[in-house]
Amino acid sequence: MAETKEKSLSDEKPKPRVRPIVRLGIFLISHSFHVSVVCCTAGVLALFLLPVLAKNTYISENALMPGSASPMLSNQHVSDGNRLVKDLTNPNSKSSETGIESHKIIAQYMLDLGAEVSFHKFHPQMNQFHPLHFFSSPDSGKIQENYSCSSYGINTVGIIRAPRGDGKEAIVLVTPYNALKSGFGEALSLGIAYSVFSLLTQVTWLAKDIIWLVADSQYGEYAAVAAWLREYQTPKFSSLSTPNAEMCPDVNNLFELKGHSISGSKFSNSFRRAGTMAAALVLKVRDQNEQFEDTISIYAEASNGQMPNLDLINVVNYLAVHRQGLRVNVEKLWSLLNSSWLKSLGEIFESLAKVAKSLYPKWKFGIPATEYVEGTATLASSLYYQALGVPTGPHGAFRDYQVDAITLEISPKFSLDKVWRNDILLRGGRLIEGVIRSVNNLLEKFHQSFFLYLLTSPSKFVSVGVYMIAFALLIAPLPMVAASLYVDANSSSNCSKGDSSTPSAITDTDEHSIAIRSWRWLNSAKLVFIVHLWGAIVSLLPYFISQIPDCSPTTSFMIWVLLSILSLLTLNSVLASPLACAKATQEKEWALVKSVTISSVFIGLGLMSVINFATAEIGALLMVPMCLLAQPLKLDVRAGTLRSFCRMICNLVLGHIAFPPAAFFLLKGMLDGFGNANVGDFWMWVESLWAWNSATYLFIGMVELPCWVLCISILFHTC
Amino acid sequence: FDPISSSNAKPPGVELWAVFDVPQHHIDASWKNLTHTLSGLFCASINFLESTATYSTPEWSFPPASGNVRYGTLPCEAVCTENLTPWLKLLPCRDKAGIALLLDRPSLYRGFYHSQQLHLTSTGSSSEGIDLGIILEQTLTVVLQPNSEMAIEVHASEKHIQPSWSLSSIFGKQVSGRCVLAKSSSVYLLLDRGLVAELKFPNKENGKSAANGLTSENFWSNPSFELSAKPDRIFLEESSLHSKSLSILYMFQVEKYSESEPFDIGLMWKVPVAWLCQQTPLHASRFLMGSGNERAAIAISLKSTQFTEGFMSANCKDGSCELRVDVFQVVPWYVKVYFHSLRVFVDQQPRAVSDIIEKIHVSPSKDKMSPGVMEVVLKLPCRVNTAALTIEIDKGFLRIDEYPPDANQGFDIPSAIISFPNFHASMVFLEDDSLNKSPLLSKFQEKCPVMSYTEVLLVPLTTPDFSMPYNVITITCTAFALYFGSLLNVLQRRVAEEERFLKAKAAKKTGRLPLLLSKLSAKLRGRRLEPLHSPPSSSSFINSKLVLKVILVAGLGVGWQYFFS
């Protein structure tokens, strides 16, 4: 491109001025190398700057008014909660094999408070891979086969109707509870929920109904909550051939036993509902804890990196820190906390900020190095869990129905005396009460604050406007490089042709060849398309492999790899054979392929950033350098300079890292150590991804893998 | 069935329906008049019902049908004190005397439920010309919980007695005499059928007749409860077909009491009694199904309450017994209903619509014009346990000016009316003298179908970001500016002229200002001044020396600042 420009400049003919915007474009394209280096470094740097740029959270919705009312939860309610905990941990209640006794106890306690109680039976529904069900709304369950009476769970649901509300909205409180092998923590979480519940039956300020869901977590917390939500939102009215749970003697027994002791219509075995859900809180208490403080962990990531409204986290954080004196933390990548390079980076930023502050006192953007390291660790885990697209707790089920939900995990400093237990019940209860009261104040649904954000600490966040910059800088060079490569390939072949052919060539054929040449990219586009088609096939393959019975993860992974390679070869031989005929233009063939690859990667990353930003960001970190650097190894070897040698090394390293399984093992090795890495792990990981309908799976299968294959094919291009 | 709960239990918000006795084309105009009058009268936003998008014309859901009925609801309109005061003003003595004295606002609004009703009937048509007048019927229904302090300790004690109450403990006030203008003023106390049936039991063990036990002279020292005042009269319900026991009505006349001896009736429970009110044959609930902001479905589920089983069997002589259920549902226009997707499930089995639905009348909604109305008559088998109706809806998109101020709360769908024409809510009491028949009792005797309302639904619609218009304006303006700028540029340009001009310019020496500029840049670059013919190529802008110099100057400035501050 540069040559053409010089040539055009050297033409002494006065040319009409080029429009500035076009000139800028040409300038950028002609300097695409520098531009891409600058942009990529800036993009990575901006990513590392995010903890510095994080803003303090604030409560955006005025109606929430957290902590403006003094908590009403008294010792009376705490002792009520304590009673329930005692009854549940009593060895007598555990004698029953199915744990029905403890459900009965809970239901009895709820009824005594005057709440409406119902049991919800469900069959755990295994997550299955449905190739076409990505992004579709959760359906009302497929026809369920061969359920036996032994495998069902029972959710106990208690509902308090707001005395002065209109019953249009509800707040959900979820406590997972495994009746079979419940730890003390689960009983304690029930105790907290019960003490709040007993308070809420008496208060006059309630405007929304309260639903307390004791989710039977013997088949996993998520499954229980999801089953209840499915029944709540998309019930099935017809139950044609499915064996109903009513046929099972155990369940009937349960209902009968309840029936005679309870008066009135408060108890029913039909499903009960209460309006549109405004928010949901999942409460857990961790059993053992090594920390010295009472802490609360907040888990917020739902499927596909969706987050609840930031206000919900803010309210919890505000109440926990400023009212109840609990420490709040969000998840961190602990391995990053001790890394020295991050620390030194933090120190550099700190000193830079110091200098900047001394220059101009209003520039206050520095944070201490330790805080920076912690922020980065939190940010990394926030990015990681969002990118994974797998919910981090039962709250993920709510997000599928546009309900804001978070999981609160209280991990108390562990001791067994009664005072301590009362203290936890009181503080946890008051926290829950405060949050419920805030949400209760809300007239509208959560909409004021952010939905797209990354947390760097419980009280600091990076909003979409800031973190998009890093991503935009990373992918900005892609279209430029693609354009420059395309122009380059076209013009250079043009030149070579001009040199080789005799100057007396007939202009007719020349025009004809130009027309052909300008369509030459179609060939490369075909190649890229074929590879992407292959990617789609590869991402569909696990569905068929998972149908094979009795397959260990390792063997299924091997089958997958074999089938993938086989299908690639088949596709190549069937569809790509006419590619070979374009002999004349082969010397720049790779440039065209690279250009089309880069544009397809750009499109893929752009699309993914809309669906799940974190995935796109991590993908861009891996793929952008690989795409930009890819060049046939032969050329580098031939050139033999230091620069080409460096490029070769980079290419080889990136070619290994960017291969999805390799990247996975590298990440896993960094987090857990390389000792126990197993080939089957990747299969398990992929299985979990598709089971949760994570878009990351599609991204890996249809964008990243084809891109990697194309880059490898460029590396080994014969030219 | 209990006429009190059937005719007085209303959904939240405002419900207004009117029958017009005017020519067809005047109805809408008089409806408008009516809404505005009522809204002025009660300080409520009833005037919102004026627009055609909010009210509907039921065909046969309301008894005196035939097309001149108008029905409208405002589900999100909250009723509060400011609505009560004008309502009280319609009373002759307001709340200064008579029973209305009881209406103490704090205790009234502490209750679980309250609704105020106004029923206007014009008696005698104008053609007859006689007895032209309007009967105004005012009803205030309140559900209160007596003695909330007692309720707190309820769960502590194993066997609890339901709280005793008295008028003064509930309302915090006492009645002293009647309003001077009132013809009669009395308080009635109704013992529900279920309660009477429960109370019978201990008596039966003693071998006494239950009704005697309750109506005999010493009823207040009854084994189960005690009344603090002696009722003036006791009414016993006429035996009805379908219930085992009869309800009992005590009447107390307020006239007898005075300032010195205020009327304060109380009831003391002695034994715990638990009873259930008579429920409608089917319990109706309505909910929203589905997720997402695009599609959803409304489901109305009907569950049989075991209560009516006995009646069912009595009513069902031959095998083919049917239970008729009328469903009347108004859906605002922004929720688009697909009427063809109506599906019926009976006892968890999907059934053909034509099997179950006897009659259906549908008027589809028109955007911003009229709401959708669905009137369905269902014929269910008597033994039905559960029945469900589902109908799919589309959540519409509104224009930005059509959103209410609190759009993010969601939109309300007014409650559906489920009525059971086979059942009548009425109570006929045996009366000794039919001369001064109490209006309340005669109202009880009116036969009207049992009705129940479903919940109000809250449908979250997609709402725009309301700060969006600003962004949209900015973006569109930018796009327009770019478009028109380039268009004008293209229109204005004459290519040939430009080329000629360029040629001339190349031949000529450069002008003064460009010369100066080029001199300056040349000096900056430390080069000898040379006349430039072509504009400097863009790549030469980034000259390493130039950049170095700029950086040097900036660095000097920074250093200076740093050391001297």
Side-chain angles (χ1 to χ4, degrees):
Chain A
M1 179 61 217
E3 300 157 311
T4 54
K5 200 168 162 57
E6 270 167 34
K7 223 168 72 182
S8 72
L9 279 174
S10 60
D11 286 349
E12 284 304 305
K13 265 191 280 175
K15 281 215 141 191
R17 273 191 312 136
V18 197
R19 320 262 353 123
I21 221 164
V22 179
R23 221 163 60 188
L24 188 70
I26 288 172
F27 172 74
L28 283 178
I29 287 170
S30 61
H31 291 82
S32 61
F33 176 71
H34 302 280
V35 169
S36 54
V37 167
V38 167
C39 277
C40 282
T41 3
V44 175
L45 201 67
L47 191 63
F48 280 107
L49 265 177
L50 284 185
V52 181
L53 298 174
K55 281 191 286 184
N56 282 326
T57 54
Y58 55 96
I59 286 155
S60 177
E61 173 71 82
N62 287 329
L64 284 170
M65 297 192 289
S68 55
S70 53
M72 292 164 77
L73 195 84
S74 65
N75 284 319
Q76 168 72 30
H77 305 111
V78 168
S79 64
D80 284 352
N82 239 327
R83 216 149 40 86
L84 177 66
V85 173
K86 258 182 222 156
D87 278 4
L88 284 177
T89 46
N90 203 0
N92 292 342
S93 66
K94 285 192 177 177
S95 59
S96 163
E97 205 165 88
T98 46
I100 278 176
E101 278 307 313
S102 41
H103 283 292
K104 267 182 211 160
I105 291 173
I106 297 166
Q108 192 59 53
Y109 268 82
M110 284 181 186
L111 276 173
D112 286 347
L113 290 179
E116 296 175 13
V117 181
S118 64
F119 287 117
H120 167 237
K121 312 171 290 285
F122 66 95
H123 291 287
Q125 198 173 346
M126 284 302 115
N127 279 313
Q128 279 175 342
F129 178 56
H130 302 288
L132 299 176
H133 279 203
F134 282 99
F135 315 123
S136 64
S137 56
D139 54 350
S140 61
K142 287 123 311 255
I143 296 165
Q144 300 150 336
E145 306 114 22
N146 54 41
Y147 280 138
S148 59
C149 285
S150 56
S151 71
Y152 64 88
I154 302 166
N155 290 333
T156 314
V157 186
I159 299 176
I160 307 175
R161 306 280 173 190
R164 282 174 217 27
D166 41 14
K168 292 190 289 195
E169 285 171 290
I171 303 170
V172 188
L173 183 64
V174 182
T175 47
Y177 178 65
N178 189 350
L180 288 184
K181 47 172 180 58
S182 69
F184 184 67
E186 279 187 336
L188 204 58
S189 73
L190 282 179
I192 294 175
Y194 178 75
S195 56
V196 176
F197 205 62
S198 67
L199 167 75
L200 291 177
T201 47
Q202 296 154 14
V203 293
T204 51
W205 44 258
L206 214 56
K208 296 182 165 114
D209 298 349
I210 305 290
I211 306 176
W212 178 21
L213 170 68
V214 181
D216 190 352
S217 62
Q218 50 178 322
Y219 303 104
E221 293 158 3
Y222 185 91
V225 177
W228 179 77
L229 272 173
R230 211 179 305 124
E231 183 67 30
Y232 195 99
Q233 296 279 11
T234 54
K236 281 178 302 176
F237 292 108
S238 61
S239 61
L240 271 175
S241 56
T242 55
N244 229 344
E246 264 105 48
M247 294 173 189
C248 306
D250 265 352
V251 187
N252 277 344
N253 196 11
L254 174 69
F255 291 134
E256 269 165 33
L257 267 170
K258 298 278 10 143
H260 74 259
S261 67
I262 286 127
S263 63
S265 63
K266 290 286 191 184
F267 175 81
S268 79
N269 50 14
S270 62
F271 196 82
R272 283 187 184 272
R273 289 187 172 74
T276 314
M277 284 178 261
L281 287 174
V282 183
L283 180 70
K284 292 201 262 184
V285 177
R286 197 186 286 166
D287 268 336
Q288 65 273 46
N289 183 36
E290 62 282 350
Q291 276 159 339
F292 307 106
E293 272 181 287
D294 299 333
T295 53
I296 280 189
S297 315
I298 298 177
Y299 299 91
E301 288 87 2
S303 58
N304 278 326
Q306 298 181 75
M307 298 291 277
N309 198 294
L310 187 56
D311 265 347
L312 192 57
I313 294 177
N314 288 347
V315 167
V316 172
N317 182 44
Y318 178 84
L319 287 173
V321 172
H322 297 285
R323 290 291 181 275
Q324 303 307 325
L326 295 160
R327 226 175 61 117
V328 178
N329 59 21
V330 281
E331 248 183 301
K332 290 174 196 146
L333 284 187
W334 295 99
S335 56
L336 278 180
L337 277 183
N338 302 322
S339 63
S340 52
W341 61 275
L342 211 58
K343 204 165 198 175
S344 52
L345 195 65
E347 272 157 11
I348 291 170
F349 282 135
E350 193 184 354
S351 52
L352 269 181
K354 233 176 234 166
V355 171
K357 198 183 173 186
S358 65
L359 284 183
Y360 188 61
K362 276 191 182 169
W363 286 346
K364 279 183 266 184
F365 55 80
I367 54 171
T370 50
E371 205 175 303
Y372 173 80
V373 173
E374 267 189 33
T376 316
T378 315
L379 182 77
S381 93
S382 193
L383 262 177
Y384 173 71
Y385 284 110
Q386 285 191 23
L388 212 54
V390 176
T392 48
H395 59 268
F398 285 97
R399 192 62 231 174
D400 293 342
Y401 298 93
Q402 284 85 43
V403 180
D404 293 298
I406 52 173
T407 297
L408 301 178
E409 193 175 55
I410 303 177
S411 37
K413 57 174 189 284
F414 201 67
S415 66
L416 264 173
D417 59 332
K418 200 165 182 296
V419 181
W420 160 81
R421 193 203 281 177
N422 279 349
D423 180 53
I424 276 299
L425 278 174
L426 189 67
R427 278 156 78 189
R430 283 189 170 167
L431 172 67
I432 301 293
E433 182 210 338
V435 177
I436 285 181
R437 188 156 194 175
S438 281
V439 177
N440 183 61
N441 286 340
L442 205 59
L443 269 181
E444 311 180 321
K445 65 181 182 204
F446 277 108
H447 72 283
Q448 280 276 2
S449 196
F450 293 88
F451 283 100
L452 303 169
Y453 57 90
L454 297 167
L455 287 176
T456 63
S457 88
S459 58
K460 282 197 161 184
F461 75 105
V462 187
S463 82
V464 56
V466 178
Y467 69 60
M468 267 320 249
I469 295 173
F471 179 69
L473 280 173
L474 262 180
I475 66 164
L478 291 181
M480 281 174 230
V481 172
S484 98
L485 275 172
Y486 174 71
V487 171
D488 212 14
N490 256 356
S491 64
S492 69
S493 67
N494 200 1
C495 288
S496 65
K497 205 154 200 179
D499 292 341
S500 62
S501 61
T502 51
S504 61
I506 310 152
T507 48
D508 271 6
T509 52
D510 202 34
E511 264 174 27
H512 184 65
S513 66
I514 284 171
I516 287 176
R517 232 179 290 128
S518 60
W519 288 105
R520 224 166 26 128
W521 62 272
L522 272 182
N523 257 334
S524 345
K526 201 173 80 180
L527 178 70
V528 171
F529 173 72
I530 287 167
V531 175
H532 277 270
L533 195 69
W534 171 77
I537 290 172
V538 167
S539 30
L540 282 183
L541 278 178
Y543 174 61
F544 301 105
I545 297 173
S546 64
Q547 306 286 329
I548 304 170
D550 310 327
C551 227
S552 77
T554 317
T555 46
S556 357
F557 181 62
M558 288 306 166
I559 295 173
W560 191 21
V561 170
L562 278 178
L563 279 178
S564 316
I565 293 171
L566 205 70
S567 59
L568 182 63
L569 292 178
T570 329
L571 267 179
N572 202 35
S573 61
V574 169
L575 292 169
S577 50
L579 198 76
C581 71
K583 277 259 159 49
T585 55
Q586 214 173 33
E587 63 264 40
K588 279 289 179 183
E589 181 70 39
W590 68 269
L592 276 181
V593 172
K594 185 176 168 185
S595 143
V596 179
T597 308
I598 285 176
S599 9
S600 77
V601 164
F602 178 68
I603 292 168
L605 282 176
L607 281 178
M608 196 60 209
S609 73
V610 180
I611 297 163
N612 189 348
F613 172 79
T615 313
E617 173 77 52
I618 292 177
L621 276 179
L622 281 176
M623 285 156 65
V624 168
M626 180 177 68
C627 289
L628 291 182
L629 281 174
Q631 195 166 350
L633 290 175
K634 266 194 180 171
L635 283 184
D636 282 339
V637 171
R638 226 180 279 158
T641 57
L642 183 67
R643 187 175 152 187
S644 60
F645 184 69
C646 287
R647 184 161 53 196
M648 208 167 73
I649 298 292
C650 284
N651 268 331
L652 284 176
V653 169
L654 279 173
H656 280 107
I657 290 178
F659 184 48
F664 169 74
F665 284 120
L666 205 67
L667 204 68
K668 201 171 153 53
M670 280 208 300
L671 292 181
D672 319 330
F674 287 96
N676 47 6
N678 184 11
V679 189
D681 285 353
F682 184 69
W683 174 261
M684 307 265 273
W685 184 69
V686 168
E687 210 167 31
S688 80
L689 276 191
W690 87 61
W692 292 103
N693 276 359
S694 168
T696 310
Y697 175 69
L698 281 192
F699 175 77
I700 289 175
M702 297 177 68
V703 181
E704 182 157 11
L705 194 63
C707 165
W708 177 78
V709 169
L710 285 167
C711 285
I712 293 297
S713 77
I714 289 168
L715 283 186
F716 294 107
H717 198 271
T718 53
C719 53
Chain B
F1 283 90
D2 189 2
I4 299 179
S5 57
S6 175
S7 60
N8 289 335
K10 294 289 173 192
V14 175
E15 183 194 31
L16 175 68
W17 59 279
V19 185
F20 292 96
D21 189 21
V22 290
Q24 201 70 30
H25 54 277
H26 284 310
I27 288 181
D28 285 343
S30 34
W31 169 265
K32 258 180 209 177
N33 261 338
L34 179 69
T35 53
H36 278 272
T37 316
L38 287 177
S39 122
L41 210 56
F42 287 111
C43 298
S45 329
I46 307 177
N47 56 328
F48 286 156
L49 284 173
E50 142 198 61
S51 83
T52 51
T54 49
Y55 68 88
S56 56
T57 315
E59 281 297 320
W60 24 261
S61 283
F62 288 90
S66 77
N68 48 10
V69 181
R70 291 292 180 273
Y71 174 87
T73 51
L74 290 174
C76 48
E77 174 80 19
V79 181
C80 66
T81 333
E82 63 175 12
N83 306 122
L84 182 67
T85 312
W87 184 90
L88 283 173
K89 273 187 189 166
L90 295 176
L91 294 173
C93 302
R94 302 180 64 171
D95 55 344
K96 298 282 181 266
I99 334 172
L101 204 61
L102 286 175
L103 304 180
D104 174 41
R105 307 298 154 71
S107 51
L108 211 60
Y109 287 99
R110 204 184 299 139
F112 288 143
Y113 171 87
H114 60 92
S115 91
Q116 54 197 66
Q117 231 180 329
L118 193 74
H119 193 207
L120 287 160
T121 335
S122 93
T123 55
S125 57
S126 48
S127 58
E128 284 174 28
I130 46 161
D131 196 18
L132 188 64
I134 291 176
I135 295 177
L136 169 67
E137 232 177 86
Q138 283 180 266
T139 319
L140 185 78
T141 316
V142 189
V143 177
L144 294 170
Q145 186 184 30
N147 259 359
S148 50
E149 290 88 34
M150 284 276 287
I152 292 174
E153 290 149 27
V154 154
H155 55 269
S157 58
E158 186 59 35
K159 270 202 160 188
H160 58 269
I161 297 181
Q162 56 273 31
S164 307
W165 55 267
S166 68
L167 279 186
S168 57
S169 77
I170 293 178
F171 292 105
K173 283 194 177 173
Q174 292 168 324
V175 185
S176 52
R178 59 168 188 174
C179 169
V180 219
L181 291 171
K183 206 188 261 175
S184 80
S185 167
S186 39
V187 173
Y188 291 87
L189 171 66
L190 177 76
L191 298 188
D192 190 66
R193 281 170 200 151
L195 175 58
V196 173
E198 280 290 324
L199 292 178
K200 261 181 196 172
F201 263 91
N203 284 351
K204 261 185 184 165
E205 282 166 12
N206 297 345
K208 279 183 192 170
S209 158
N212 277 346
L214 288 171
T215 50
S216 60
E217 280 300 301
N218 55 350
F219 56 90
W220 52 83
S221 57
N222 185 291
S224 43
F225 65 89
E226 193 177 347
L227 283 175
S228 69
K230 185 175 183 295
D232 297 298
R233 278 164 71 188
I234 299 170
F235 298 101
L236 203 66
E237 195 188 0
E238 263 179 11
S239 60
S240 60
L241 281 172
H242 50 268
S243 70
K244 285 164 247 157
S245 55
L246 311 163
S247 43
I248 297 166
L249 194 69
Y250 299 112
M251 189 182 92
F252 302 91
Q253 281 178 328
V254 183
E255 292 100 301
K256 299 193 300 186
Y257 300 90
S258 64
E259 197 79 56
S260 55
E261 190 201 350
F263 171 67
D264 181 17
I265 182 183
L267 195 143
M268 275 281 282
W269 289 103
K270 289 174 179 171
V271 286
V273 183
W275 79 98
L276 212 61
C277 292
Q278 206 171 11
Q279 288 174 310
T280 52
L282 297 173
H283 176 256
S285 74
R286 190 181 57 167
F287 50 89
L288 203 65
M289 305 198 320
S291 68
N293 282 324
E294 191 195 0
R295 308 290 299 270
I298 296 178
I300 298 176
S301 95
L302 303 163
K303 283 199 186 85
S304 99
T305 49
Q306 303 304 321
F307 183 81
T308 44
E309 292 243 315
F311 167 68
M312 292 291 187
S313 54
N315 214 20
C316 147
K317 302 237 165 34
D318 45 348
S320 63
C321 142
E322 277 177 333
L323 171 65
R324 191 180 147 182
V325 181
D326 290 5
V327 180
F328 173 70
Q329 168 78 69
V330 179
V331 182
W333 63 266
Y334 41 78
V335 173
K336 300 192 172 53
V337 183
Y338 294 111
F339 289 106
H340 71 273
S341 64
L342 182 72
R343 289 193 294 162
V344 185
F345 299 88
V346 175
D347 286 334
Q348 304 194 322
Q349 305 287 330
R351 297 285 287 269
V353 169
S354 51
D355 287 355
I356 298 298
I357 291 180
E358 189 189 74
K359 204 155 71 154
I360 183 165
H361 169 251
V362 159
S363 67
S365 60
K366 278 181 227 146
D367 277 6
K368 302 170 191 83
M369 284 296 292
S370 65
V373 183
M374 184 177 76
E375 289 168 87
V376 185
V377 175
L378 298 172
K379 281 248 157 144
L380 299 170
C382 287
R383 298 268 167 220
V384 66
N385 258 329
T386 58
L389 276 140
T390 64
I391 190 160
E392 282 174 23
I393 56 168
D394 243 7
K395 299 178 180 179
F397 290 100
L398 272 68
R399 285 207 313 249
I400 190 146
D401 55 336
E402 285 159 359
Y403 284 101
D406 56 350
N408 276 298
Q409 193 194 0
F411 289 75
D412 294 304
I413 297 185
S415 51
I417 304 173
I418 316 282
S419 59
F420 306 92
N422 293 1
F423 300 90
H424 294 285
S426 65
M427 263 194 255
V428 184
F429 288 97
L430 294 167
E431 286 178 79
D432 12 1
D433 52 340
S434 51
L435 282 174
N436 57 358
K437 212 175 181 179
S438 148
L440 190 71
L441 291 185
S442 57
K443 182 134 178 68
F444 281 168
Q445 287 180 10
E446 276 175 21
K447 278 198 165 190
C448 54
V450 175
M451 288 213 285
S452 65
Y453 290 81
T454 61
E455 302 95 326
V456 172
L457 271 189
L458 189 68
V459 183
L461 292 189
T462 37
T463 43
D465 182 357
F466 288 103
S467 61
M468 202 61 182
Y470 170 74
N471 303 344
V472 170
I473 287 170
T474 325
I475 286 180
T476 33
C477 285
T478 315
F480 267 114
L482 280 176
Y483 172 69
F484 280 114
S486 47
L487 188 74
L488 281 179
N489 215 338
V490 167
L491 285 178
Q492 220 182 19
R493 166 183 266 180
R494 280 172 288 178
V495 182
E497 191 87 345
E498 205 162 305
E499 271 176 10
R500 205 161 50 79
F501 176 71
L502 272 174
K503 260 180 208 162
K505 201 178 170 188
K508 225 168 61 181
K509 267 191 104 178
T510 39
R512 182 164 287 184
L513 195 65
L515 197 70
L516 264 175
L517 270 177
S518 65
K519 247 185 205 172
L520 195 70
S521 66
K523 218 167 226 176
L524 266 175
R525 281 179 218 136
R527 273 194 209 152
R528 206 167 47 80
L529 172 68
E530 48 184 319
L532 289 166
H533 289 291
S534 59
S537 71
S538 43
S539 58
S540 65
F541 271 128
I542 302 180
N543 190 309
S544 58
K545 272 190 175 172
L546 179 70
V547 171
L548 212 80
K549 274 181 184 171
V550 169
I551 287 175
L552 191 72
V553 169
L556 273 177
V558 166
W560 194 75
Q561 177 85 22
Y562 189 66
F563 285 116
F564 287 89
S565 60

